[in-house]
Amino acid sequence: MPLQFLIHKFETFTRARVFQVLVMLLGAVLLGVVYDLRNFKNMSVPEAMDTAQLARNISEGQGYTTLFIRPFSLFLIKRAHQSRPETGTNSLADSSLLEIGLPDISNAPVYPCVLAGLMKVVKLNFAISSENEKTIPFWGNSRNFQRYRPDFVIALFNQMLLLAMVVLAFLWTRKLFDPMVAWSSAVLLLGTEVLWRFSVSGLSTLFLMLVFMLLVWCLTLLETEAREPGRGQFRATFLTAVAGILLGIGGLTRYSFAWLIFPAFIFIIISTAPPRRAILCLTLLLAFAAVMAPWIVRNYNVSGTPFGSATYSVLEDSGLFPDYQLERSLDPNLRVIPRLVWAKLFANLHTMRQTLAGTGWVVALFATGLLIGFNNSALQCVRYFVGLCLGTLFLVQAVGRTHLSVDSPEINSENLLVLLLPIILIYAVSFFCLLLERLQRPRIELGIIGGLFGLAACSTLILALLKPEATTLAYPPYYPPTIQQTASWMKKSELMMSDIPWAVAWYGNQQCVWLTLNAAPDAENSTDRENLQALNNDLKPVSALYLTPLTIDSRLLSECVRSRENGWGYFVLRCLAFKEVPESFPLHEMPTGFLPEQLFLSDSKRWQGNFTAPNQPSP
């Protein structure tokens, strides 16, 4: 009889838990479907398109090469090869640098390789259907374009990562807190609108969140093993090695993530006893270095820098190189002026502090909850670890912040603090539940308070789902049919130039270089090399120029009228006002229908007859 009772209890408990999990998963899938139908947009973040085109090159067997050509990357690679006597000083002073496939030195490798694996498994069609083809209205065609399928598939993949991260967070919370905190945290994570926006952005953020939750799990088990040894030294060493590997994977997904090696190092010091501390710290560093070192060596061999162009992120958007000037420079004067770096740091700290102060209840409850003591030492140690991560990433984000964060203030790869959102939310929910327990009120009133709290926390997502259905296009400036059309006029071996080269590389599958700093040589400076002519002479002729509202909608007075005669602002103003191209400019052929919103110039007439560009959506 007792045995039958235990079996019955076990089956009832198992069925209840399985039912709860299935309902949760079904609800998450339904939420994802509704969100995608009403709020999905094609990619609008440059880093996402850059990563996607790199992943496609990897999946097609072209190696770790890029079609998005940064002038600054050309400078670094050329300088690295010229500094080696065995390669010769002129080995890269010709088109061979761009003919063999330019090695990418701007992106960390893990996420592009993950996307490449996805593209291998899911056979993607990168071409947009023509207006004569029968297509599903959900996707549309070149005349009535709706959604770009590869963008949508990548968004679905990231939403699967979101669900996996929520499951990990739920299991960790259930282990260390009570079921109420676990379920509440899982629901609020799924109801966090910013996570869904990251899921459709195409960025690596959700993959990094998953890696961070695995790291937290690993450190939690390590603290438990150090406090209550169960399997000797081996298990603690193994968990430490796994933590180091996860930190390395995170660092090779986004270089700034590697700074979390310092909070992890401190965590091991405060959570382990002195006899084992030194061995575990050394194990962490060795495992981390074993993952990071091969890629650092590769970057150094290619570009002479450990992290490629990201090595100089501290100079980007500073007084030396405002906006995107560094990455668009063919011959920059690289020097570090501490005064300007400090100015950038404190200006960004002020901006980020204001942003953090306005994030609402999550950070407020977490900060207040730091004063609460936990009986579970693992919770205390993880809380200290998260606090150290918050301070570390706050400084790293301020130093490495570029103009990407200005163009897209929240959804960008430089938003590092969002990686801590799941674990911070869990501690915030636990503190709220603790306050709720202290209220001596009837259970029905407590339930109403908890429900109102949940509705308030998820209000942003609810409003996003209820608002009128928005367009799926990220226009201006990205309109994939036009980008593919212009790229189709080019030969694969030819080079385009654009103000959105990441989009031309992704949607058009065409090699494209970012606009040089100037359109023409400076008449007053004979040594000026920051122009189209220098690129044509030293590397490879540009066969076509494609400009979008990103440049054409520039501020009239500051960027056009007051622009120097050799600048792009003056060049665009002349093309728009006089419908003519300067005689000295090497590209003169222009199809009809692009102006005034876009501009396409070519060295020859590549289109059939009197081509007219497809109708652009209303900005």
Side-chain angles (χ1 to χ4, degrees), residues 64-128:
Y64 204 79
T65 59
T66 181
L67 296 174
F68 169 22
I69 312 300
R70 296 171 171 86
F72 183 53
S73 296
L74 294 173
F75 166 79
L76 291 177
I77 295 174
K78 187 175 179 179
R79 185 185 66 174
H81 282 253
Q82 290 179 348
S83 65
R84 298 171 187 143
E86 65 275 9
T87 61
T89 57
N90 295 319
S91 61
L92 293 179
D94 53 34
S95 62
S96 62
L97 179 60
L98 298 179
E99 294 293 349
I100 60 178
L102 184 71
D104 185 88
I105 59 170
S106 301
N107 295 284
V110 169
Y111 188 64
C113 291
V114 171
L115 288 186
L118 173 68
M119 293 176 184
K120 280 285 189 181
V121 174
V122 182
K123 302 300 182 181
L124 297 178
N125 181 13
F126 296 101
I128 297 174

Side-chain angles (χ1 to χ4, degrees), residues 423-482:
I423 199 73
I424 288 177
L425 184 144
I426 290 170
Y427 275 94
V429 170
S430 70
F431 179 61
F432 176 79
C433 291
L434 179 64
L435 294 178
L436 208 59
E437 290 178 359
R438 299 291 175 89
L439 294 177
Q440 301 298 323
R441 309 298 299 173
R443 294 188 63 180
I444 187 171
E445 290 187 18
L446 296 180
I448 293 174
I449 294 173
L452 293 175
F453 173 78
L455 286 175
C458 301
S459 59
T460 306
L461 178 63
I462 294 172
L463 292 175
L465 296 177
L466 293 179
K467 70 179 181 181
E469 191 171 350
T471 176
T472 60
L473 301 174
Y475 186 85
Y478 308 110
Y479 190 58
T482 301

Side-chain angles (χ1 to χ4, degrees), residues 148-316:
Y148 190 57
R149 297 187 206 192
D151 285 358
F152 193 78
V153 171
I154 292 175
L156 291 180
F157 174 70
N158 276 288
Q159 286 167 0
M160 292 172 62
L161 294 179
L162 170 61
L163 185 57
M165 183 271 294
V166 171
V167 170
L168 271 180
F170 170 79
L171 295 176
W172 182 83
T173 311
R174 191 178 181 90
K175 177 180 176 64
L176 297 180
F177 293 95
D178 56 63
M180 179 181 177
V181 176
W183 284 106
S184 300
S185 300
V187 170
L188 292 183
L189 278 175
L190 288 174
T192 303
E193 193 257 351
V194 70
L195 297 183
W196 288 98
R197 278 197 286 155
F198 269 108
S199 74
V200 298
S201 70
L203 293 170
S204 61
T205 300
L206 289 169
F207 180 80
L208 269 181
M209 282 186 182
L210 185 62
V211 172
F212 185 77
M213 279 308 307
L214 289 171
L215 177 64
V216 169
W217 255 107
C218 192
L219 294 179
T220 302
L221 295 176
L222 176 61
E223 191 280 337
T224 304
E225 179 64 25
R227 179 167 34 89
E228 301 173 358
R231 299 184 183 179
Q233 182 69 27
F234 173 77
R235 189 167 189 264
T237 305
F238 174 77
L239 290 172
T240 305
V242 172
I245 292 172
L246 289 172
L247 285 166
I249 292 174
L252 292 182
T253 303
R254 197 173 295 173
Y255 292 133
S256 49
F257 188 92
W259 288 100
L260 296 188
I261 185 66
F262 295 107
F265 191 83
I266 296 173
F267 178 91
I268 291 177
I269 292 177
I270 64 176
S271 63
T272 57
R276 310 166 68 182
R277 186 177 297 161
I279 296 176
L280 295 181
C281 288
L282 182 61
T283 302
L284 179 75
L285 295 177
L286 289 177
F288 174 73
V291 176
M292 294 288 294
W295 187 252
I296 292 176
V297 171
R298 177 263 184 191
N299 280 338
Y300 191 82
N301 289 334
V302 173
S303 66
T305 59
F307 301 105
S309 60
T311 307
Y312 296 95
S313 61
V314 67
L315 300 179
E316 292 187 54

Side-chain angles (χ1 to χ4, degrees), residues 44 473-479 500 548-550 553 597-598 616-619:
S44 61
L473 301 174
Y475 186 85
Y478 308 110
Y479 190 58
I500 53 168
T548 68
L550 199 65
D553 281 349
E597 292 184 15
Q598 300 190 16
Q616 305 295 331
S618 299

Side-chain angles (χ1 to χ4, degrees), residues 416-613:
L416 304 177
L417 300 181
V418 75
L419 302 178
L420 308 179
L421 178 61
I423 199 73
I424 288 177
L425 184 144
I426 290 170
Y427 275 94
V429 170
S430 70
F431 179 61
F432 176 79
C433 291
L434 179 64
L435 294 178
L436 208 59
E437 290 178 359
R438 299 291 175 89
L439 294 177
Q440 301 298 323
R441 309 298 299 173
R443 294 188 63 180
I444 187 171
E445 290 187 18
L446 296 180
I448 293 174
I449 294 173
L452 293 175
F453 173 78
L455 286 175
C458 301
S459 59
T460 306
L461 178 63
I462 294 172
L463 292 175
L465 296 177
L466 293 179
K467 70 179 181 181
E469 191 171 350
T471 176
T472 60
L473 301 174
Y475 186 85
Y478 308 110
Y479 190 58
T482 301
I483 296 173
Q484 279 202 4
Q485 178 65 71
T486 56
S488 68
W489 294 334
M490 312 295 296
K491 298 177 182 178
K492 285 298 179 182
S493 59
E494 292 179 322
L495 178 64
M496 286 181 67
M497 177 177 281
S498 177
D499 54 355
I500 53 168
W502 46 85
V504 175
W506 170 232
Y507 294 120
N509 196 16
Q510 181 66 37
Q511 193 177 66
C512 189
V513 64
W514 209 341
L515 283 180
T516 52
L517 293 181
N518 299 318
D522 189 350
E524 300 178 359
N525 183 5
S526 60
T527 62
D528 175 35
R529 297 181 53 77
E530 300 292 356
N531 54 75
L532 178 61
Q533 181 177 321
L535 182 66
N536 285 342
N537 295 339
D538 292 350
L539 290 161
K540 187 176 182 179
V542 174
S543 301
L545 173 70
Y546 176 55
L547 299 181
T548 68
L550 199 65
T551 299
I552 296 177
D553 281 349
S554 299
R555 292 184 291 271
L556 177 64
L557 182 62
S558 61
E559 297 184 24
C560 296
V561 177
R562 291 179 179 173
S563 171
R564 294 177 299 175
E565 290 190 6
N566 66 330
W568 287 106
Y570 185 83
F571 174 84
V572 169
L573 181 62
R574 184 168 178 175
C575 291
L576 290 176
F578 303 106
K579 301 293 190 298
E580 67 176 19
V581 181
E583 293 183 3
S584 59
F585 198 74
L587 309 174
H588 286 85
E589 294 293 337
M590 181 192 308
T592 59
F594 277 81
L595 291 175
E597 292 184 15
Q598 300 190 16
L599 174 65
F600 184 83
L601 297 174
S602 178
D603 56 358
S604 61
K605 192 172 182 179
R606 299 168 176 271
W607 44 92
Q608 298 294 327
N610 295 321
F611 174 81
T612 301

